[in-house]
Amino acid sequence: MFASNLDTSLVYLKGVGPKRAELLQKELGISTYEQLLNHYPFRYIDRTRFYKINELNPDMPLVQVIGRITSKETIGEKHKKRVVAKFTDDTGTMDLVWFQSLKWVEDHVMRSSLYIAFGKPTLFNNGFSISHPDLETYPRQTGITGNLTLQPIYNTSEKMKKGFLDSKCIQKLIHHIIELHINEVRENLPAYILEKYKLISRKEALIHIHFPANTSTLQHAERRLKFEELFFIQLQLLYNKQLRSLKFKGALFNTVGEKVNTFYNTMLPFDLTNAQKRVIKEIRLDTQKGIQMNRLIQGDVGSGKTVVALMSMLLANDNGYQACMMAPTEILARQHYQSLVDLLKGELISVAILTGNSTKKQRTILHQQLEAGEIDILVGTHALIEDKVQFKNLGLVVIDEQHRFGVEQRAKLWRKNVVPPHILVMTATPIPRTLAMTLYGDLDVSVIDELPVGRKPIETKHLFEGQRMRMFGFMKQEIAKGRQVYIVYPLIRESEKLDLLHLEAGVEQMRYQFPLPDYQISIVHGQMPNADKQYEMQRFIDGKSQIMVATTVIEVGVNVPNASVMIIENAERFGLSQLHQLRGRVGRGAEQSFCILMTGNKLGPNSKLRLETMVKTNNGFEISEIDLQLRGPGDITGTQQSGVLELKMANLVKDQIILQEARNTVIELFEKDTMLELPENILLKNYINKRTRAIAFDKIS
Ligand code: ADP
Ligand code: MG
């Protein structure tokens, strides 16, 4: 049976068969015509340029030469057997060599025919040769792939190549599909959008993405497919957001009561910044609408997110609700708990903590108190999500996250109350705008873009190994003023032992070359028992030690305002956001703080850019933009698995304008047509319906 539509299994495609179909499924997750059609090339090779044999040099990558096969012979024995053909043009002769598929070559490669040979030239015995060239008869045939100028190159795996499914073969398969079925490709964007943004049709785009006639048609195809990709992500995000606001009622926090007022008037040790006030106001407005709040707070290290979270939780308490605050690690949860207890001076409300380390006995008591409504704020780790944790009346969840929670985890939180609690997400590091739009596009966003007054910007310096004595001298000077110092060593999991040696050698060197007899050093690293770590940290927090030498364990969780110098060893080995996070450990008090980045002399271009960026700016948003450009989105957020960022075409760094266009288009269309009921939006309605059904189906199976 020959297939007649794009949902057909690839088993039925000419040249596939069960074995290759299985390979495609296993290696690329592709099983239908349509899916293969949506498997785009990852690059193209320019096939417009032809070389003469006397122009070749061994440094060239792939080249193509037009010539005639003048002789062909099979030489060698057994596994050394090969076919060697002499290939000649008007400037010289070269060899074409095959080690495999010899039978095919013997039967099909014709003497005296004109061919285009394509491959990597290598120099051998004073002559050039190409092994396993792509051979095409010359002149080229026409057709969709005729006038081949840019040859598509597809991702394949080793296993696929062994199964004779190389890039060239995929090209052929896609060519078949296009020849036979391209007219079945349906447009998925409304005509008015195509027109407004001058986008080519889906059908044209698919032809040109696989077989571009030239770079201009390729660009049009790319633009169209990028727009489409980003558009549908935004459509889904904003549709979800809209649906949520229609479906989910939210607790009403109408009253600013005794708890908020007492805290604000008698306990808050400083004035709020304007940015903090603005964000609190946004939260106030959100929680008076009767709709579930889903808000993201972005703010740089030290911008004061904790107190905003606390005041929001007190607001929940004032209105008869409980609140909880969830952190990604145990250390961070403890620190939050401590900050809240300190800010509240242990009065006003009852705060409790729950982590993976809480004992069974503690939990039993806690569960009872929670259900009885005796606990107002619960701080903790993922342990909070467990089904056993039930609240009397949970009204607000604050998530201080580094990793986005999965849908299922979120749903669990929501189900902890009849009316789903309001959700406040706080990001630990600023995220570039484009990333936020994609990753958190369904949330409302507040930005704390102002640091508390009196904070002096941290001064950052980059020093090379040869300037180490200068660094020691500076350190001594600061310690003499009563300050404390961090020295941080990188930690890479594969070589934990080696890293530890670095740290220990560093300490030895310091003690030897730079004796500080009156001063104490605390050492903290990941291989120490927890209790020792706690003890050493506490010594530093209490000011009993002046220097804290540590691996990156201190990245989160330590707050010592008197520490004013951050020295980062092997700074070239850290990522930008990590450097920024580490630097954020100082600059927390009233004193001028410093960050010193120590590196070796040899630095790659990316390391240089990272260090220069750190020296130049303290602005976390600026840093995150550069980080995004250097590393790509997946690494930054650790969310590759979440699926949100598995973009096939678009690039969040390069395609910011298209992203903005796509998002604006969606915002406008929802303003006009909330439920996608206009005939012009029927395609979009279908898309959403289909996706919703697919998700529902996933849940059942
Ligand atoms: P982050 O946004 O990194 O979580 P924190 O909430 O931990 O920042 O605040 C950093 C420090 O700044 C804390 O010691 C906090 O008490 C202090 N702080 C917060 N807001 C203000 C403010 N408006 N004025 C002065 N200090 C503040
Ligand atoms: Mg914080």
Side-chain angles (χ1 to χ4, degrees):
M1 251 290 284
F2 276 103
S4 63
N5 72 61
L6 292 168
D7 288 334
T8 310
S9 161
L10 282 169
V11 181
Y12 300 107
L13 183 64
K14 192 175 139 202
V16 180
K19 278 226 176 88
R20 285 180 173 173
E22 197 186 321
L23 262 180
L24 283 166
Q25 169 59 39
K26 275 209 179 123
E27 297 292 296
L28 301 176
I30 286 176
S31 58
T32 68
Y33 285 21
E34 170 129 40
Q35 286 167 354
L36 188 55
L37 207 48
N38 290 327
H39 181 58
Y40 308 138
F42 75 97
R43 67 187 178 102
Y44 302 83
I45 294 173
D46 186 355
R47 300 285 304 253
T48 49
R49 176 89 160 87
F50 290 94
Y51 289 88
K52 294 290 185 187
I53 290 173
N54 70 354
E55 290 177 302
L56 298 183
N57 80 56
D59 298 329
M60 289 176 163
L62 298 163
V63 297
Q64 50 186 354
V65 179
I66 301 169
R68 207 176 286 282
I69 301 221
T70 51
S71 73
K72 188 178 78 170
E73 58 177 336
T74 305
I75 55 177
E77 286 297 316
K78 289 198 178 145
H79 55 272
K80 289 205 168 161
K81 214 164 148 187
R82 58 196 186 272
V83 177
V84 178
K86 295 285 170 203
F87 189 62
T88 307
D89 69 4
D90 52 0
T91 69
T93 296
M94 66 186 293
D95 286 347
L96 304 180
V97 188
W98 288 267
F99 300 93
Q100 280 162 14
S101 318
L102 301 188
K103 178 90 176 67
W104 184 89
V105 176
E106 280 162 1
D107 293 348
H108 289 88
V109 175
M110 297 298 162
R111 246 167 18 121
S112 78
S113 305
L114 266 181
Y115 282 107
I116 302 169
F118 174 76
K120 159 96 187 121
T122 49
L123 193 58
F124 184 69
N125 282 347
N126 283 328
F128 278 97
S129 66
I130 295 180
S131 303
H132 288 273
D134 277 353
L135 271 194
E136 276 177 87
T137 53
Y138 182 84
R140 282 186 170 130
Q141 301 145 350
T142 49
I144 292 176
T145 59
N147 302 325
L148 184 66
T149 53
L150 293 165
Q151 179 180 348
I153 305 294
Y154 297 92
N155 262 326
T156 54
S157 64
E158 274 314 304
K159 275 194 190 141
M160 289 172 66
K161 281 182 198 143
K162 278 198 192 121
F164 300 104
L165 251 176
D166 58 4
S167 170
K168 191 80 191 233
C169 177
I170 290 182
Q171 181 187 331
K172 256 194 215 135
L173 298 179
I174 291 177
H175 188 208
H176 285 321
I177 298 175
I178 289 186
E179 266 186 341
L180 296 171
H181 300 287
I182 194 67
N183 285 327
E184 293 160 33
V185 169
R186 296 278 162 263
E187 183 52 66
N188 57 5
L189 290 174
Y192 71 94
I193 292 179
L194 295 183
E195 207 167 300
K196 179 163 177 198
Y197 291 100
K198 307 228 168 350
L199 299 169
I200 61 174
S201 71
R202 182 165 170 72
K203 176 174 133 184
E204 282 174 283
L206 286 175
I207 294 174
H208 292 306
I209 202 71
H210 291 293
F211 303 109
N214 53 51
T215 45
S216 156
T217 53
L218 176 60
Q219 277 165 7
H220 280 109
E222 283 176 348
R223 180 170 146 73
R224 146 79 210 208
L225 293 172
K226 284 173 178 176
F227 184 95
E228 172 187 321
E229 182 170 43
L230 296 170
F231 175 86
F232 281 109
I233 292 173
Q234 293 300 324
L235 186 76
Q236 188 74 58
L237 284 169
L238 293 170
Y239 183 81
N240 290 351
K241 180 178 172 192
Q242 201 166 255
L243 205 61
R244 225 169 31 214
S245 66
L246 291 175
K247 209 159 102 184
F248 294 117
K249 296 223 168 355
L252 283 171
F253 297 171
N254 281 328
T255 323
V256 175
E258 183 221 330
K259 286 167 183 144
V260 171
N261 284 328
T262 309
F263 174 75
Y264 189 75
N265 295 326
T266 70
M267 296 176 168
L268 187 62
F270 39 69
D271 291 333
L272 294 176
T273 63
N274 286 329
Q276 285 171 321
K277 283 185 194 156
R278 189 183 65 234
V279 173
I280 290 172
K281 201 169 189 181
E282 283 166 346
I283 294 165
R284 276 274 289 142
L285 288 175
D286 275 357
T287 50
Q288 291 176 78
K289 286 182 189 156
I291 295 170
Q292 186 202 22
M293 168 176 75
N294 277 275
R295 186 167 283 281
L296 171 75
I297 301 183
Q298 283 216 61
D300 212 340
V301 211
S303 61
K305 294 183 286 287
T306 315
V307 76
V308 172
L310 174 58
M311 290 193 58
S312 311
M313 293 193 286
L314 291 175
L315 181 67
N317 296 159
D318 265 340
N319 288 274
Y321 290 93
Q322 292 163 297
C324 70
M325 184 169 188
M326 194 153 61
T329 64
E330 167 111 22
I331 296 184
L332 207 51
R334 293 207 172 277
Q335 158 141 18
H336 276 318
Y337 174 73
Q338 200 52 53
S339 309
L340 298 189
V341 171
D342 290 350
L343 278 164
L344 292 163
K345 303 184 169 49
E347 295 169 27
L348 204 57
I349 56 161
S350 77
V351 185
I353 179 163
L354 172 67
T355 71
N357 282 349
S358 305
T359 62
K360 206 167 167 203
K361 201 168 151 201
Q362 286 169 331
R363 280 171 202 244
T364 313
I365 298 169
L366 199 93
H367 290 165
Q368 281 168 3
Q369 289 177 325
L370 270 181
E371 281 171 53
E374 288 160 20
I375 290 171
D376 301 303
I377 294 178
L378 179 64
V379 182
T381 54
H382 272 69
L384 295 188
I385 299 181
E386 287 166 18
D387 290 330
K388 276 186 228 139
V389 181
Q390 291 296 333
F391 293 80
K392 181 174 181 216
N393 197 2
L394 181 64
L396 172 69
V397 176
V398 179
I399 303 172
D400 191 9
E401 67 169 348
Q402 300 190 312
H403 307 288
R404 193 170 160 85
F405 287 104
V407 176
E408 210 23 62
Q409 288 172 314
R410 277 216 253 175
K412 271 193 171 171
L413 274 172
W414 291 14
R415 284 197 292 269
K416 290 204 185 287
N417 214 50
V418 186
V419 176
H422 295 299
I423 309 279
L424 202 55
V425 180
M426 304 196 296
T427 59
T429 40
I431 317 172
R433 234 167 54 84
T434 52
L435 204 55
M437 257 195 257
T438 314
L439 205 54
Y440 299 100
D442 56 341
L443 306 183
D444 293 307
V445 179
S446 295
V447 182
I448 307 185
D449 48 8
E450 183 185 3
L451 293 180
V453 282
R455 270 304 153 73
K456 298 194 183 80
I458 301 163
E459 263 180 50
T460 303
K461 271 222 155 47
H462 171 199
L463 295 184
F464 292 99
E465 192 50 43
Q467 297 164 294
R468 179 164 291 274
M469 291 318 273
R470 226 178 105 190
M471 181 272 274
F472 281 147
F474 178 74
M475 210 171 93
K476 191 174 180 181
Q477 188 186 310
E478 287 300 299
I479 294 175
K481 285 189 206 157
R483 306 285 115 74
Q484 287 165 288
V485 177
Y486 293 106
I487 304 179
V488 178
Y489 282 81
L491 187 69
I492 295 175
R493 223 175 271 130
E494 302 91 74
S495 59
E496 226 167 285
K497 285 224 174 73
L498 194 69
D499 287 314
L500 203 51
L501 283 180
H502 278 148
L503 184 147
E504 283 166 352
V507 174
E508 273 314 300
Q509 188 190 8
M510 183 163 68
R511 285 197 166 125
Y512 176 74
Q513 289 191 328
F514 204 81
L516 294 164
D518 302 337
Y519 302 135
Q520 293 284 314
I521 303 178
S522 286
I523 300 179
V524 176
H525 58 77
Q527 297 192 341
M528 284 163 68
N530 246 336
D532 293 2
K533 246 193 275 184
Q534 290 295 338
Y535 176 80
E536 287 296 323
M537 281 200 187
Q538 201 55 51
R539 252 167 33 97
F540 189 69
I541 292 168
D542 296 342
K544 290 180 184 145
S545 60
Q546 290 74 33
I547 302 172
M548 154 90 82
V549 181
T551 51
T552 38
V553 282
I554 66 148
E555 190 177 345
V556 290
V558 181
N559 188 11
V560 183
N562 188 48
S564 64
V565 182
M566 167 63 67
I567 294 160
I568 304 177
E569 296 282 357
N570 298 113
E572 70 273 26
R573 280 171 58 185
F574 289 92
L576 253 184
S577 70
Q578 215 181 0
L579 288 172
H580 183 61
Q581 280 289 319
L582 284 171
R583 179 167 61 182
R585 295 298 108 202
V586 296
R588 298 188 155 233
E591 307 304 330
Q592 173 65 52
S593 289
F594 303 89
C595 174
I596 300 178
L597 307 167
M598 298 298 300
T599 74
N601 291 328
K602 271 205 197 124
L603 295 173
N606 280 1
S607 310
K608 250 190 210 150
L609 181 56
R610 287 199 297 269
L611 296 161
E612 280 166 15
T613 305
M614 285 296 292
V615 171
K616 199 177 68 191
T617 179
N618 272 303
N619 183 326
F621 285 96
E622 226 173 279
I623 289 173
S624 74
E625 292 286 348
I626 294 170
D627 202 24
L628 178 63
Q629 285 170 24
L630 284 176
R631 290 197 301 165
D635 275 345
I636 290 197
T637 50
T639 46
Q640 267 144 332
Q641 329 80 309
S642 79
V644 191
L645 287 168
E646 276 166 26
L647 300 179
K648 269 194 346 212
M649 261 328 268
N651 175 318
L652 292 180
V653 179
K654 294 184 191 143
D655 301 321
Q656 308 198 359
I657 294 175
I658 303 181
L659 172 58
Q660 193 66 63
E661 283 174 353
R663 187 166 170 94
N664 290 346
T665 309
V666 175
I667 291 172
E668 274 171 32
L669 88 89
F670 277 132
E671 269 166 15
K672 259 200 246 157
D673 185 13
T674 314
M675 291 318 291
L676 299 177
E677 281 158 348
L678 291 177
E680 66 195 36
N681 289 327
I682 180 78
L683 292 172
L684 308 180
K685 178 99 186 163
N686 290 346
Y687 173 88
I688 292 283
N689 285 344
K690 208 168 140 191
R691 287 276 300 229
T692 315
R693 267 203 304 277
I695 291 168
F697 185 75
D698 269 357
K699 282 229 174 93
I700 295 164
S701 55

